[in-house]
Each structure stands twice: as structure tokens, then as C-alpha cells.
């Protein structure tokens, strides 16, 4: 246990000092950390899922507090919580089905159930009620109310006294953790493989002799464009340099190395060149629940230009970037201000910046991110396929549970 | 060019039907004998009963009254017994519904579901199918009685779906199934109150300190949102539209002033004038339609258009049981709901008056919907309805 605590503390430190860059790397490290937390967590015999959930939530809160702007951390914590709940549910329904068979042969267990004050309902009803706790609330379940019966399986299984049932119970304990860790491993695999999944779809979107515009540098975009190149599509790429870090220059070098015809332009030239462009493709830092996109600074400008000239604006995002929160004030709350030294070298303008003298009134602001509202985005390409911005809520309902939204 | 719109055909059809209740005021009221057979509504006056009730609520509702009403609602089991047919009169679901509807704090759908619960309680059916048939008949009666109320229709449909699906889940005996359905129906009032509280909590993040909110109409859900924000010590300002002819703005302003929220009253025409100092618009909904649009008090569409053109977000607060299976294509595509409008001066008889009480706001002008199912974009509504009905 102590080494898990130190691992968590170390990771929190790294997040706070922004030592890990990129949402994919952050997401992978977070998931691996949570996997160690789960495997080291000792669980009681009853209500094991709740214990796991509490442990993961406690660690998750620390991680999110360390770097609230890196939304991938929160996303991945919520994914793990959802996995725990799902595995627990599938085990419970399997146990209920097993109990049902045993009940049929064992008369006094039925009386036992009735003794708890449990109405005579079949296992199907209980399973349906338990499943409804996992799904997000919907009109179908509105009248069904709180399924108290979901907790009854625990008491009825712990109250049973036949030999076979106690053997089931202890194997259940081990099975839950095992299933959860399997689910988490699958999640890690999914996060690592998101680039390939997205790049596979490149051939459907990029056609012959097209001109693509991109901004800054995103590994997803690079893989996407190269995949289309592999399939023998010939097209040109305009890269907006992405001041002040000029990562567009690095992307341009990579593209040229892979044999693509590339043109570098300044960010301010986007509006001038947009009429010659067929499609804008950018990589997102995070995708919000309403379909809005958080991307590198300058993206909103490209989106507005694209809208004005009716150019499709395509956003590439792995599923770990999908955030279930709504952006109430994204420019302020979800933005990070980097060091102004990226804009001005130390020593330049030092007389204007000198606050001590009382005459300094020059401020330098260097935001990292930009928010693009959903009506400017034409298509999202995730590892599950292409989607409309208004479809994002569906993916969120699939990947996350409603109880985990507020951590 | 009203002749060229699709709804012209509907209007013509309605005008031609002599027994139809929703025709224009110029044709004479039909003989009540034949009407009583066709339509259980004894009221030949083509005024929408739904909006009349709302007007009655607005006349009396104050925060003290609301508290009293809530306390009264909690004691409902005693009230219910007194309403049961002791006098030997045949059980009338409409009377039951009306008695519930008069309570100002109760949502329409809750009143409808309580009425249907009373049907179950007084039914002598011995199988689920019989019960369902009785319920269907009662629900059709209620819907025909007031065709303009959307939450009534939606509430009835929701309850019918729930009953049909519950019976499919193999309850072992009829009485326990019946008592379970009855229990859930009676709990629905709590669900409705809980829904309002959930909506209020969800919308707290969207109201920031120093913001200005424009509100139209007196929605109890929106009032709950503002009350919760005030209790959380948020500093914000509210602009209320006057809301002619219901005077909802004045009433809302009175209530908000009691909570020490700075309020400013606007006449309905001053909305565009004040829109640039507004940060967000909050409205309730009488019904949420399949396209994701809403049906609400007259004037909502106007405000949504102005807000959209000035890039202000329009937030709708509606409980999920208001989702209805309607898809209006234009403003006249709804059941006409008419209200008496008083201009304070006599209007010459040759002059027509537009007396519709509500309008339809298409989904592209709405930003987000706050419901008890969560914060949703308008496209989620059709998904929810499909899951429920298909």
C-alpha cells in the first residue's frame, strides 16, 4: 500500500509541474496508476465495487485537482469508474441467474427472500432495475424510481448458508477485481491504439488533388495524413505555424519527410488562404459534452474562416479526449496561461515591464487553448467513426456513468 | 400568404367541421346535446382550458400560497379518500383531474397521473389487460377533454407506456402488480418536485456572479432555479418581460423582489432594446417536441430569435415528462390554444384579434435544455422519445 501512495504523490507532482505533455501520454499514465491502485486495494467481501469506486474516486480527485486543465485525466478516471460499475453489474446479473437456479431447488431460500420483505419479483425484474442504475437516467426509467432491489442481491447472497453459495461468494470477490483489471487493460490498449483507428478512416475523407489546412502540430493529424498518403492519394497540405511555439514548423518537416507537398503559412494568413482550401483538419485537446472543441490557440479563427467560406471543419479526437462536462466559461476556466517568455525574450521590453518603477503597464498574455463552439464543427472523427457534434452526448452516455460526473 | 402554408389546409378542415370544438368564434356554438355525445367536454366556449387554469394559478399564486399548497399536497392520502365516489356518483376521471389541477404547485402531468391512479384504485379489473384497457379509455377521455395541454398528453402517454411495460415484466400476481403501479403513480408527485430540484442544481454552474438573466413567462421550474441561485448567494440581475396578457412578469417580479434579487420589468417590445445587456435567456416550456424545439408562452419565439441574432444563449428548463411526440412544421401546426385578450379599450367587432396563447420555438435557436435527465442539447430529445416509444 505505501508504495501506491508514493506513486500517486509522484504523479500528482508531475501533473502539477506540467511535466507530462499531451493528452494521450497523460491518459495512459493515469490509467496505469489507477490499475496499480485497484490491484493493491484490499476489498471487503460485501460491497466490493463500492470500495473500489471510493478508492479510485479519492485518487481521481487528487489528480484532477493537480491539473484541472488537462481534461483527459478526469475523463480517464470516469472511464475506470464506469468499468468498475459495469463489471459489477454483469457479475451481479450472473449471480442472480445462478441464485435463481438454486432457488428453484431450494425452497427455504425463497422464504428467506420473502422474509426480507422483498416482493415476489423474478430475477429479470431485479436485473432490469439494477441495469437502470447504470444507464443514464431516461424517460423509460422515470417512473421506475429508485431500485432498492439492487442492494438486495448482496444481502440475500450473504445471508445464504449453503456451501455452494459461500464458495461462489469468495470467487466473486476475486472475479470482480480480475474483470475490472481486464477492462482497464482494454482501456489502455484503446488509448494507445487510437491513432491507428482514426488514421484508418483517412481514406474516406481525403480525396485526390485536395488541399488540406491544419494548425499547429498534432500526432493524430500527422498519422491521418500519412495514412492517406500510403493509400496513394496525392494532396497538398497548408500548415499554419501555430505561434508562439511554432510547432507547425515541426509538423511541416515531418510531412515533407514522408513525401507530402507542404506549405507553411502564418496564423494571420489563414483567412487569406482559406478560399483555396478544401478541408480543415485539426487535432483537439478535448471535446466537451455539447460538441464544443478545446484546441490549440488560433483554432477558433480557422473555424470562423472555414464557416465563412463553407469549408468543412473536421476535428480528430481519440475517445479519451471526450469530456462529459459542459463549458460554462471555457475561455477562462479551461484555459492555461503559459510563460510570456515564449512571446518576448527575457530582457526585451524590460523597461516597460518594470513594475517597480511605477510606469510599467505592459502585460503579456499567452493562452494555450481556444474554444470552438459546436456550430462551427462539421465532423468529429473518433476511433469509433465519424460523428456529428450533436451526437457527442451519445458517446458520453456510452462511456461514462451519470454518478461520476461530479467528482 | 396564409393560403399557401400547409396549416391552411388544417384550418379549413377545422372550420368545415361543425361539431369541432376548436373553430373560430364567428360560427355559432353547436347544440349541446349532440356535442355531449361526441365530446365529453361540456364547455362550448373555445377557450383553452389549460391556459385558463394557468391564468387562475397566476391570479392566486404567491410564495406563501405555494408553501401551503406543497404542505397540502404532502397530506394527499387523506384528501384522496374524500374524493372517492362516496355519494354513489359514477367515477369521473375528468372531475378527479380537475380537482388535482386546481392546486397551483402541481404540474399538469402530475395531476393527470394522479387522476389515472385514482382510476386504477377504483377499478374492478382482475387482469392486467382489463386494467390497461380501462386506463387507455380514461387517458383518451382526459386527452380529448383538453386537446391543447401538451404535458397532459405526454404525462398520460408516459404512464400508459410504464403500465404496459411493467406488466410485461412477469409480476407473479395481479394484486402486487397493481399495487406497484399505484405506488409509482402516487410517487410521481415527488418525482416531479425532485425533478425541479435536480434542474435547479444542474443550472447553478451556468449562472455566474454579475450576470444578467432575461426571463419570459412564469415558469415554476425557472423560479426554482433563480431561488436556488439566490440561496447560494450568487449575485445576478433579472430582467422580466411583462408577459401580456397574463401579467406573468409582474407576478414574477414580485416574487423575485421578495428574495432580494434585483429585478427590472420590460414591456414585451423592449426585449431587443435590452438584449445587449443580457448574458443569457431562461425560459420554461409547456412542452418539448420531437425536433428539440419547445412550445411555450407567446413571445418565446420572438425572444429566442433576438437572442440568437445577438449570440446570447437561450436555456430551457423543462422536466423530462414534458417530452411530447409532436413535430410541428410551422407556428400554425399546433392545436390552437386561444385565450381572451383584454385591450382595456373596446375593440370594434370587424377587427380580428390574434388570441393564440403559445408559439413554437425551433431547436436551432435553443442552446441547451436543462432537464432532470441532465443537461441536454436539443438533439437528445428525439433520441429519448425513440427509446421510450419504439
Amino acid at each position: 500500500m505505501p508504495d501506491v501512495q508514493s506513486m500517486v504523490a509522484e504523479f500528482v507532482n508531475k501533473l502539477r509541474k506540467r511535466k507530462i505533455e499531451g493528452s494521450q501520454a497523460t491518459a495512459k499514465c493515469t490509467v496505469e496508476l489507477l490499475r496499480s491502485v485497484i490491484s493493491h486495494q484490499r476489498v471487503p467481501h460485501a460491497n466490493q465495487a463500492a470500495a473500489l469506486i471510493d478508492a479510485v474516486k479519492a485518487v481521481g480527485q487528487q489528480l484532477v485537482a493537480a491539473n484541472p486543465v488537462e481534461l483527459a485525466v478526469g475523463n480517464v478516471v470516469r472511464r475506470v469508474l464506469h468499468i468498475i460499475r459495469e463489471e459489477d453489474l454483469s457479475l451481479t446479473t450472473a449471480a442472480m441467474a445462478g441464485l435463481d437456479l438454486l432457488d428453484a431447488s431450494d425452497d427455504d431460500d425463497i422464504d428467506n427472500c420473502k422474509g426480507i420483505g422483498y416482493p415476489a419479483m423474478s430475477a429479470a425484474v431485479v436485473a432490469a432495475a439494477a441495469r437502470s442504475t447504470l444507464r443514464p437516467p431516461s424517460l423509460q426509467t422515470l417512473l421506475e424510481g429508485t431500485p432498492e432491489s439492487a442492494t438486495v442481491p448482496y444481502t440475500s447472497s450473504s445471508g445464504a448458508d449453503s456451501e455452494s453459495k459461500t464458495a461462489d461468494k469468495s470467487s466473486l470477490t476475486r472475479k470482480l477485481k480480475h474483470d475490472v483489471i481486464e477492462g482497464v487493460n482494454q482501456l489502455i490498449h484503446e488509448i494507445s491504439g487510437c491513432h491507428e483507428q482514426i488514421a484508418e478512416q483517412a481514406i474516406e475523407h481525403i480525396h485526390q488533388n485536395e488541399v488540406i489546412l491544419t494548425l499547429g502540430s498534432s500526432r493524430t493529424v500527422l498519422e491521418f495524413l500519412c495514412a492517406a498518403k500510403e493509400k496513394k492519394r496525392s494532396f497538398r497540405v497548408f500548415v499554419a505555424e501555430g505561434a508562439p511555439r511554432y510547432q507547425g514548423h515541426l509538423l511541416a518537416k515531418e510531412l515533407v519527410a514522408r513525401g507530402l507537398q507542404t506549405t507553411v503559412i502564418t496564423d494571420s494568413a489563414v483567412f487569406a488562404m482559406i478560399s483555396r482550401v478544401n478541408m480543415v483538419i485539426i487535432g483537439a485537446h478535448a471535446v466537451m459534452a455539447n460538441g464544443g472543441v478545446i484546441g490549440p490557440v488560433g483554432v477558433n479563427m480557422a473555424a470562423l474562416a472555414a464557416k465563412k467560406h463553407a469549408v468543412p471543419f473536421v476535428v480528430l479526437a481519440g475517445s479519451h479526449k471526450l469530456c462529459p462536462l459542459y463549458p460554462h466559461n471555457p475561455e477562462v476556466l479551461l484555459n492555461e496561461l503559459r510563460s510570456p517568455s515564449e512571446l518576448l525574450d527575457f530582457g526585451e521590453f524590460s523597461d516597460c515591464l518594470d513594475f517597480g518603477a511605477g510606469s510599467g503597464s505592459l502585460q503579456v498574455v499567452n493562452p494555450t487553448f481556444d474554444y470552438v463552439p459546436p456550430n462551427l464543427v462539421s465532423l468529429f472523427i473518433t476511433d469509433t467513426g465519424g460523428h456529428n457534434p450533436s451526437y457527442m452526448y451519445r458517446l458520453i452516455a456510452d462511456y461514462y456513468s451519470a454518478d461520476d460526473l461530479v467528482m | 400568404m396564409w393560403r399557401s402554408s400547409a396549416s391552411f389546409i388544417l384550418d379549413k378542415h377545422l372550420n368545415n367541421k361543425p361539431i369541432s370544438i376548436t373553430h373560430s368564434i364567428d360560427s355559432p356554438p353547436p347544440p349541446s346535446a349532440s356535442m355531449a355525445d361526441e365530446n365529453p367536454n361540456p364547455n362550448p366556449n373555445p377557450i383553452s382550458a389549460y391556459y385558463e387554469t394557468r391564468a387562475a394559478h397566476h391570479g392566486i399564486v404567491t410564495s406563501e400560497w405555494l408553501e401551503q399548497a406543497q404542505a397540502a399536497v404532502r397530506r394527499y392520502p387523506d384528501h384522496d379518500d374524500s374524493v372517492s365516489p362516496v355519494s354513489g356518483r359514477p367515477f369521473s376521471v375528468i372531475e378527479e383531474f380537475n380537482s388535482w389541477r386546481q392546486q397551483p404547485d402541481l404540474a399538469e402531468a402530475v395531476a393527470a397521473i394522479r387522476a389515472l391512479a385514482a382510476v386504477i384504485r377504483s377499478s374492478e379489473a382482475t387482469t392486467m389487460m382489463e386494467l390497461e384497457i380501462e386506463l387507455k379509455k380514461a387517458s383518451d377521455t382526459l386527452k380529448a377533454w383538453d386537446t391543447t395541454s401538451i404535458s397532459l398528453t405526454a404525462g398520460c402517454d408516459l404512464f400508459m407506456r410504464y403500465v404496459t411495460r411493467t406488466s410485461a415484466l412477469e409480476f407473479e400476481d395481479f394484486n402486487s402488480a397493481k399495487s406497484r403501479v399505484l405506488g409509482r403513480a402516487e410517487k410521481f408527485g415527488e418525482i416531479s418536485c425532485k425533478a425541479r430540484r435536480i434542474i435547479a442544481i444542474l443550472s447553478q454552474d451556468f449562472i455566474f456572479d454579475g450576470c444578467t438573466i432575461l426571463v419570459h413567462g412564469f415558469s415554476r421550474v425557472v423560479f426554482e432555479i433563480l431561488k436556488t441561485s439566490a440561496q447560494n448567494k450568487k449575485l445576478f440581475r433579472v430582467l422580466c418581460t411583462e408577459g401580456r396578457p397574463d401579467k406573468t412578469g409582474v407576478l414574477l417580479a414580485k416574487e423575485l423582489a421578495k428574495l432580494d434579487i434585483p429585478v427590472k420589468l420590460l414591456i414585451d417590445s423592449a426585449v431587443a432594446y435590452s438584449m445587449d445587456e443580457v448574458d443569457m435567456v431562461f425560459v420554461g416550456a409547456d412542452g418539448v417536441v420531437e425536433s428539440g424545439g419547445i412550445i411555450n408562452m407567446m413571445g418565446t419565439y420572438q425572444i429566442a430569435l433576438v437572442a440568437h441574432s445577438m449570440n446570447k444563449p437561450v436555456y430551457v428548463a423543462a422536466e423530462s415528462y414534458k417530452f411530447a411526440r409532436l413535430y410541428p412544421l410551422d407556428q400554425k401546426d399546433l392545436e390552437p390554444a386561444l385565450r381572451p385578450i383584454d385591450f382595456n379599450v373596446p375593440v370594434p367587432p370587424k377587427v380580428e384579434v390574434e388570441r393564440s396563447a403559445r408559439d413554437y420555438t425551433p431547436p436551432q435557436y435553443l442552446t441547451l435544455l436543462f432537464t432532470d435527465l441532465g443537461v441536454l442539447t436539443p438533439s437528445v430529445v428525439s433520441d429519448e422519445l425513440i427509446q421510450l416509444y419504439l
Side-chain angles (χ1 to χ4, degrees):
Chain A
M1 280 299 272
D3 63 324
V4 173
Q5 293 285 40
S6 64
M7 272 168 64
V8 172
E10 196 191 313
F11 190 60
V12 165
N13 226 359
K14 264 201 230 159
L15 281 177
R16 205 177 292 141
K17 297 197 180 146
R18 312 289 192 254
K19 290 240 179 84
I20 308 186
E21 284 236 11
S23 37
Q24 198 200 25
T26 322
K28 250 175 68 175
C29 294
T30 314
V31 183
E32 282 163 3
L33 180 69
L34 289 176
R35 185 177 56 186
S36 346
V37 167
I38 292 175
S39 55
H40 283 109
Q41 177 74 17
R42 227 170 280 148
V43 281
H45 278 298
N47 257 352
Q48 321 132 15
L52 282 178
I53 288 175
D54 285 335
V56 171
K57 248 194 194 169
V59 174
Q61 276 165 355
Q62 287 183 349
L63 297 178
V64 170
N67 189 350
V69 178
E70 185 56 78
L71 294 164
V73 175
N75 297 349
V76 145
V77 171
R78 291 183 183 99
R79 287 290 291 272
V80 171
L81 288 170
H82 185 73
I83 289 174
I84 299 177
R85 288 180 209 270
E86 261 189 353
E87 295 298 337
D88 182 46
L89 178 65
S90 60
L91 277 179
T92 322
T93 45
M96 279 310 295
L99 264 178
D100 213 23
L101 294 168
L102 289 166
D103 276 351
S105 58
D106 213 334
D107 263 12
D108 50 0
D109 282 298
I110 300 181
D111 295 315
N112 203 4
C113 277
K114 284 217 176 114
I116 306 176
Y118 189 53
M121 278 196 253
S122 66
V125 174
V126 177
R131 211 175 298 125
S132 67
T133 53
L134 194 68
R135 272 192 315 213
S138 84
L139 271 177
Q140 285 176 300
T141 57
L142 190 67
L143 275 162
E144 261 146 52
T146 49
E148 330 79 5
S149 46
T151 54
V152 178
Y154 290 122
T155 54
S156 61
S157 62
S158 56
D161 42 16
S162 63
E163 270 293 312
S164 53
K165 290 216 180 107
T166 45
D168 273 343
K169 211 177 35 175
S170 52
S171 65
L172 258 178
T173 316
R174 270 175 269 131
K175 218 171 174 311
L176 177 66
K177 247 202 195 177
H178 175 77
D179 285 344
V180 169
I181 295 198
E182 249 185 45
V184 171
N185 282 334
Q186 226 177 4
L187 178 60
I188 296 181
H189 185 74
E190 207 184 285
I191 296 178
S192 326
C194 70
H195 293 307
E196 286 84 44
Q197 299 267 16
I198 294 178
E200 269 172 14
Q201 304 169 51
I203 198 76
E204 299 163 10
H205 298 281
I206 301 182
H207 304 291
Q208 197 74 341
N209 291 332
E210 284 210 327
V211 179
I212 315 270
L213 173 72
T214 184
L215 194 135
S217 163
S218 159
R219 197 180 136 203
T220 325
V221 172
L222 175 64
E223 304 275 338
F224 194 76
L225 296 175
C226 293
K229 178 82 174 64
E230 300 295 312
K231 302 271 168 55
K232 311 286 190 252
R233 296 269 204 247
S234 82
F235 55 97
R236 300 182 49 195
V237 183
F238 278 31
V239 180
E241 59 185 4
R245 301 177 81 191
Y246 299 112
Q247 292 189 321
H249 297 175
L250 300 168
L251 179 66
K253 261 195 239 167
E254 287 277 326
L255 289 172
V256 168
R258 312 262 191 128
L260 277 167
Q261 228 188 337
T262 318
T263 312
V264 174
I265 56 172
T266 59
D267 297 342
S268 0
V270 166
F271 251 103
M273 308 301 269
I274 195 81
S275 46
R276 308 227 171 268
V277 167
N278 295 115
M279 177 154 54
V280 181
I281 302 184
I282 59 148
H285 168 73
V287 178
M288 312 303 290
N290 63 340
V293 179
I294 309 260
V297 66
V299 160
N300 198 10
M301 199 173 53
L304 286 166
K307 181 83 175 188
K308 189 140 196 342
H309 291 261
V311 173
F313 189 82
V314 175
V315 176
L316 309 180
S319 57
H320 59 275
K321 293 187 177 167
L322 187 58
C323 179
L325 303 174
Y326 278 85
H328 327 111
N329 201 354
E331 288 81 11
V332 172
L333 298 176
L334 295 173
N335 216 337
E336 184 152 39
L337 299 177
R338 303 182 75 98
S339 158
S341 63
E342 289 175 3
L343 281 143
L344 300 176
D345 284 333
F346 288 117
E348 273 183 59
F349 293 97
S350 53
D351 43 353
C352 303
L353 290 169
D354 188 7
F355 293 104
S359 63
S361 55
L362 178 68
Q363 289 202 345
V364 179
V365 177
N366 187 6
T368 324
F369 299 121
D370 221 350
Y371 173 68
V372 180
N375 55 317
L376 297 177
V377 180
S378 316
L379 185 70
F380 279 103
I381 300 185
T382 65
D383 36 4
T384 47
H387 304 294
N388 220 342
S390 53
Y391 191 70
M392 283 295 125
Y393 71 91
R394 232 8 181 104
L395 295 177
I396 287 169
D398 285 339
Y399 290 151
Y400 305 107
S401 319
D403 302 321
D404 305 327
L405 289 186
V406 182
M407 290 216 303
Chain B
M1 293 298 282
W2 69 285
R3 279 182 188 274
S4 51
S5 76
S7 41
F8 158 67
I9 298 160
L10 186 65
D11 289 337
K12 194 159 152 228
H13 181 66
L14 283 177
N15 279 335
N16 282 342
K17 266 175 53 171
I19 320 180
S20 157
I21 186 174
T22 51
H23 52 230
S24 69
I25 109 184
D26 289 316
S27 25
S32 52
S34 58
M35 261 260 305
D37 298 330
E38 285 278 346
N39 195 325
N41 189 343
N43 183 6
N45 197 340
I47 297 288
S48 157
Y50 173 62
Y51 287 96
E52 239 178 37
T53 324
R54 289 299 301 248
H57 288 172
H58 293 146
I60 50 173
V61 75
T62 59
S63 38
E64 294 87 15
W65 182 274
L66 282 173
E67 281 163 19
Q68 285 176 13
Q70 251 180 345
V73 159
R74 264 178 244 121
R75 292 190 329 254
Y76 85 89
D78 311 321
H79 176 87
D80 236 3
D81 291 333
S82 62
V83 179
S84 61
V86 174
S87 56
R89 268 182 325 185
F91 176 74
S92 163
V93 68
I94 293 179
E95 279 174 24
E96 182 76 25
F97 176 60
N98 271 330
S99 69
W100 283 117
R101 189 195 233 179
Q102 298 310 321
Q103 295 188 12
D105 195 37
L106 225 53
E108 279 279 303
V110 179
I113 293 189
R114 288 248 173 95
L116 292 177
V119 168
I120 298 181
R121 209 176 297 124
S122 66
S123 110
E124 291 150 7
T126 48
T127 64
M128 271 320 263
M129 276 308 288
E130 250 185 273
L131 190 61
E132 272 175 46
I133 292 174
E134 268 189 45
L135 274 179
K136 183 103 184 35
K137 228 171 35 177
S139 143
D140 287 338
T141 321
L142 272 178
K143 283 198 246 186
W145 185 81
D146 185 1
T147 50
T148 61
S149 173
I150 297 179
S151 27
L152 166 60
T153 316
C156 286
D157 281 342
L158 187 68
F159 192 64
M160 287 306 301
R161 289 297 295 186
Y162 170 66
V163 168
T164 344
R165 275 202 349 265
T166 320
S167 60
L169 290 177
E170 328 151 22
F171 273 101
E172 290 182 13
D173 89 286
F174 173 67
N175 281 323
S176 64
K178 182 173 167 183
S179 58
R180 176 157 178 83
V181 169
L182 206 53
R184 300 286 358 135
E186 282 161 16
K187 281 270 174 61
F188 195 70
E190 275 177 37
I191 294 179
S192 163
C193 279
K194 208 168 72 157
R196 286 189 194 158
R197 276 198 296 274
I198 294 176
I199 294 174
I201 293 172
L202 282 174
S203 42
Q204 288 316 297
D205 279 327
F206 288 81
I207 300 178
F208 49 89
D209 277 330
C211 68
T212 305
I213 303 179
L214 177 70
V215 180
H216 181 68
F218 195 153
S219 160
R220 291 163 285 203
V221 187
V222 174
F223 182 58
E224 181 87 25
I225 292 177
L226 297 176
K227 198 164 74 161
T228 317
S229 295
Q231 282 165 358
N232 292 341
K233 304 275 184 289
K234 292 216 177 165
L235 301 167
F236 59 96
R237 192 164 75 106
V238 177
L239 301 181
C240 287
T241 54
E242 186 195 359
R244 272 193 44 89
D246 298 330
K247 305 198 223 6
T248 55
V250 185
L251 290 156
L252 183 61
K254 232 176 9 182
E255 292 304 318
L256 291 175
K258 275 193 218 150
L259 298 169
D260 286 329
I261 299 175
V263 186
K264 186 161 156 186
L265 263 177
L266 311 168
I267 52 171
D268 296 329
S269 346
V271 166
Y273 175 79
S274 323
M275 189 54 84
D276 54 353
E277 61 184 30
V278 165
D279 290 310
M280 63 187 84
V281 179
F282 261 98
V283 291
D286 288 336
V288 180
V289 296
E290 238 175 293
S291 58
I294 56 165
I295 297 182
N296 199 19
M297 179 172 142
M298 181 61 84
T300 312
Y301 183 29
Q302 210 157 283
I303 294 181
L305 276 169
V306 175
H308 182 80
S309 72
M310 297 200 191
N311 281 324
K312 308 286 180 185
V314 177
Y315 298 131
V316 176
E319 300 98 313
S320 61
Y321 51 76
K322 288 184 179 162
F323 289 8
R325 286 190 80 188
L326 291 170
Y327 207 114
L329 299 172
D330 60 10
Q331 297 301 321
K332 309 291 191 300
D333 213 2
L334 308 162
E335 284 282 345
L338 306 174
R339 295 220 55 231
I341 299 189
D342 178 23
F343 285 109
N344 292 328
V345 286
V347 179
K350 276 189 296 197
V351 175
E352 268 186 61
V353 174
E354 175 60 64
R355 298 185 310 143
S356 178
R358 61 196 184 175
D359 61 17
Y360 163 63
T361 307
Q364 60 261 32
Y365 303 114
L366 306 173
T367 319
L368 286 175
L369 284 145
F370 297 133
T371 70
D372 48 321
L373 306 177
V375 180
L376 310 171
T377 51
S379 36
V380 182
V381 176
S382 61
D383 202 31
E384 282 294 328
L385 284 169
I386 289 176
Q387 278 183 34
L388 181 63
Y389 287 110
L390 298 170

